[in-house]
Amino acid sequence: QVQLVESGGGLVTAGGSLRLSCAASGRTFSNLGMGWFRQAPGKERQFVAACNWSGGNIYYADSVKGRFTISRDNAKNSVYLQMNGLKPEDTAVYYCAATRRFVSTTTSDYAYWGQGTQVTVSL
């Protein structure tokens, strides 16, 4: 169906920046929504950002608004997450996800997930 591969995670100090990438392959749909989620050990998976691939609907979690930017390159079937002003509480495994539904902030709406990339922010 849809395969997703994330890259770009790493270890940074507080205030630093990272750019995550997600490459999609397989069948896509005109209404495919793309999202970024994160999960810390022992915690539930948390919404970070989402956008639709054909429109201008973009959503951010309050905790990252103004610091993170989601973008896409439809020609490359890719979605990106630019993370600036990173904080220790941003530490988590970050997952790229795709949904055949309209763009959503809800984890259960996404049927396809990447393997995740670790982001660690130290003081």
Side-chain angles (χ1 to χ4, degrees), residues 64-83:
V64 307
K65 187 69 176 293
R67 300 188 297 122
F68 291 9
T69 302
I70 188 171
S71 61
R72 68 188 185 276
D73 186 335
N74 289 337
K76 296 180 179 179
N77 291 320
S78 296
V79 63
Y80 309 94
L81 186 68
Q82 178 67 46
M83 305 185 295

Side-chain angles (χ1 to χ4, degrees), residues 1 12 17 34 36 39 46 50 57 69 84 89-90 92 97 106-107 115 117 120:
Q1 286 283 354
V12 299
S17 298
M34 301 296 299
W36 287 98
Q39 187 168 22
Q46 181 184 59
N57 294 324
T69 302
N84 300 133
E89 52 263 45
D90 295 319
T106 303
T107 303
Q115 292 182 307
T117 184
T120 302

